[in-house]
Amino acid sequence: MPIFNHVPVELPELETTTINRKRFYITSKGNHYPSITTVLSIRKKEGLLEWRKRVGDKVANYVAGKAAARGTKVHHMCEDYLNNISIDYPDKWKKHEKDFLPLCLFNQLKDKVLTNISDIYAQECSLYSDKYKVAGRVDCIAKYKDILSIIDFKTSTRERSDAWNENYYIQGSAYAEMFTELTGIDINQIDKTIGQWRKMFYKNKIRTTPGLQENLKNFYEFMAGDKRGAYNQLGGLTIKEYYNRYAN
């Protein structure tokens, strides 16, 4: 069983707030930046909406809830494993063994993916970018096969083609930009692990981040178009004022 090395890196711990049912992170300077997952959540929802309409809200909510709970448990297992909990605190690790399906997904990740990880720089850490005015919480930043990478753990129960992963790559590129801005350490590789299917998707960071820039603009347009944007405050400004000043 490997023992994982952790590289000390100073990163901020950000508070969060909800505006118009969207998550924003608050930086030490008081800036309010939207979560990258929130920014990407408004794009290309046609397939999801069609599925929800087909199966009904009750079934859709049940499936989404189960998937979220499963994903959270697998994430906790990965985090504890990479923190050497299974070695240092075996009794604490046993709590994971009662969750059968998440444990099966984790074991696939462990055997095919986690064994290739070394020199962990961050786990479940807050990141933000003053340049792009966006923030988020990254699963893991570490060397994967000796290349410093953004690593994101996914627990899809259906096999995914690489063409479905555009949001993942934009998200990963955003994390890479945030981490580099905060630390001066460059990251070029985005790794997305898909648990059940033992798949690893690789992508070089989107250097000019056109997808990130486009989606940030679309997000602020969406928020500014909401009638509640006339009075909800964002960094001392209404959402419309914030959009006009910073996001255009």
Side-chain angles (χ1 to χ4, degrees):
M1 185 176 297
I3 297 177
F4 295 96
N5 177 53
H6 289 256
V7 179
V9 177
E10 187 173 342
L11 291 169
E13 186 58 46
L14 306 181
E15 295 184 1
T16 62
T17 188
T18 300
I19 301 174
N20 288 14
R21 293 177 292 181
K22 301 292 188 291
R23 174 176 291 183
F24 284 74
Y25 287 82
I26 306 172
T27 73
S28 60
K29 296 179 181 179
N31 295 320
H32 290 57
Y33 295 155
S35 160
I36 182 61
T37 53
T38 296
V39 170
L40 296 174
S41 69
I42 68 170
R43 69 189 302 270
K44 296 184 178 180
K45 279 192 169 182
E46 294 85 356
L48 180 62
L49 293 174
E50 289 176 4
W51 168 75
R52 178 173 284 273
K53 183 177 180 180
R54 185 170 66 252
V55 302
D57 285 340
K58 186 175 181 179
V59 172
N61 291 339
Y62 174 79
V63 172
K66 292 286 285 185
R70 180 183 65 241
T72 297
K73 289 176 179 177
V74 174
H75 274 70
H76 286 164
M77 291 177 188
C78 291
E79 183 179 5
D80 282 353
Y81 184 75
L82 294 175
N83 280 330
N84 300 312
I85 296 298
S86 59
I87 296 174
D88 296 338
Y89 304 98
D91 290 340
K92 184 178 179 180
W93 177 258
K94 286 185 180 298
K95 69 179 182 181
H96 294 307
E97 296 177 358
K98 62 183 177 64
D99 296 311
F100 178 73
L101 179 55
L103 184 64
C104 291
L105 293 172
F106 164 77
N107 282 333
Q108 292 184 356
L109 286 172
K110 181 186 70 173
D111 294 340
K112 299 295 182 179
V113 175
L114 302 187
T115 55
N116 295 313
I117 289 177
S118 63
D119 292 344
I120 299 167
Y121 286 66
Q123 277 204 96
E124 288 294 330
C125 285
S126 301
L127 301 171
Y128 70 92
S129 168
D130 286 324
K131 177 181 178 181
Y132 292 103
K133 305 188 187 307
V134 70
R137 196 166 185 86
V138 66
D139 286 353
C140 182
I141 300 174
K143 289 184 178 178
Y144 186 84
K145 295 184 177 179
D146 297 323
I147 300 174
L148 188 60
S149 306
I150 298 292
I151 301 172
D152 200 40
F153 304 115
K154 299 298 181 185
T155 54
S156 173
T157 55
R158 296 180 62 188
E159 186 165 9
R160 299 177 64 92
S161 68
D162 192 43
W164 297 357
N165 293 328
E166 183 182 7
N167 271 15
Y168 292 168
Y169 293 138
I170 296 173
Q171 179 186 11
S173 294
Y175 289 144
E177 291 286 344
M178 296 178 213
F179 183 77
T180 299
E181 185 176 323
L182 292 171
T183 68
I185 302 171
D186 198 22
I187 298 177
N188 291 316
Q189 182 164 280
I190 314 300
D191 299 342
K192 298 292 175 181
T193 67
I194 310 298
Q196 180 159 355
W197 299 97
R198 305 190 183 99
K199 275 198 173 183
M200 171 66 79
F201 294 101
Y202 300 95
K203 200 78 166 184
N204 289 334
K205 185 175 65 178
I206 304 172
R207 275 290 180 183
T208 57
T209 60
L212 174 59
Q213 293 170 324
E214 177 186 352
N215 283 286
L216 280 167
K217 184 175 185 296
N218 291 340
F219 170 76
Y220 281 114
E221 287 178 344
F222 174 82
M223 291 288 285
D226 192 311
K227 63 182 180 181
R228 289 167 296 186
Y231 56 83
N232 273 341
Q233 296 294 301
L234 182 62
L237 304 170
T238 67
I239 290 174
K240 286 185 178 180
E241 290 170 341
Y242 189 94
Y243 167 71
N244 289 332
R245 180 175 298 184
Y246 294 118
N248 278 323

